Amino acid sequence: MPDLTRDGDVYVLDLGSDENRFNPEWVGAVRAAVDEVVAAEGPRALVTTATGKFFSNGLDLDWMAGHLPALEGFMVEVHALFARVLGAGVVSVAAIQGHCFAAGAMLAMAHDQRVMRADRGFFCLPEADIRIPFTPGMGALLQARLAPQTAHVAMATGRRFGGQEAVTAGIVDEAVGAELVLGRAKELAAARAGSDPVTLEAIKRQMYAPALALLEDPAANPIALPGLTGEPAG
């Protein structure tokens, strides 16, 4: 389960040591940790990382398949988490130490900056291959944070980007050795920990107003999961 610790002005949110898939308990714990950082007094910043092979492998499809009546409410919480990170009045850096897929990749993109492991691990949006279309909110988040051609390739083809490829494509800011990922992310976060939270939140919410409006509107994101339910697409 996610765990939040503090190192000086930097809060480190460890998403966990397994695949760190999105289910209600996990999403609730991540959201609570982000809220704690946002509510903290004084200089602070957020670094999100994980332990093991995965940063996050995305939605917990097994849980979702077994809880179809609960999907609508669950997806509202997923979108709200993305919005909370994207519009937060604290500097956030994703320290991507392993595979970063699907909803996990979207969570990383909601952070201000990203540092990725250079030698192993992929950033990937496989939705086209697993027949799970992006919701309007998810699409808006990705298109707000990625260059148009990169967004098209990543979203429409499911291409896997290694660390250096991700830097070239503008997906992540830096790719470094595995042993340096967390430390470099903490350096970047600490450098901006003194940012005024009210001003920073106002800037982010203006910059990403269309994406935030969709992410925060439950009615704007109808569920369409043909790859999960077996329904025909379209």
Side-chain angles (χ1 to χ4, degrees), residues 50-109:
T51 306
K53 184 177 179 180
F54 292 90
F55 178 83
S56 171
N57 206 16
L59 297 174
D60 188 339
L61 301 182
D62 289 340
W63 182 91
M64 294 170 69
H67 298 81
L68 294 179
L71 286 188
E72 184 174 351
F74 169 61
M75 292 305 296
V76 168
E77 295 305 314
V78 171
H79 288 89
L81 174 60
F82 294 154
R84 183 58 161 158
V85 177
L86 182 65
V90 297
V91 169
S92 59
V93 183
I96 305 171
Q97 91 303 333
H99 296 308
C100 186
F101 277 49
M106 297 176 210
L107 178 61
M109 293 308 306

Side-chain angles (χ1 to χ4, degrees), residues 45-46 85-94 107-115 145 171-173 188-189 192 195 200 204 207-208:
L46 170 67
V85 177
L86 182 65
V90 297
V91 169
S92 59
V93 183
L107 178 61
M109 293 308 306
H111 287 66
D112 296 319
Q113 293 179 280
R114 284 153 297 285
V115 178
R145 300 292 280 134
I171 296 170
V172 303
D173 299 273
L188 292 171
R192 298 295 301 167
S195 299
L200 184 58
K204 290 184 183 180
M207 288 180 67
Y208 302 118

Side-chain angles (χ1 to χ4, degrees), residues 210-230:
L212 288 167
L214 286 170
L215 290 168
E216 294 173 338
D217 180 3
N221 297 289
I223 299 173
L225 303 173
L228 180 66
T229 63

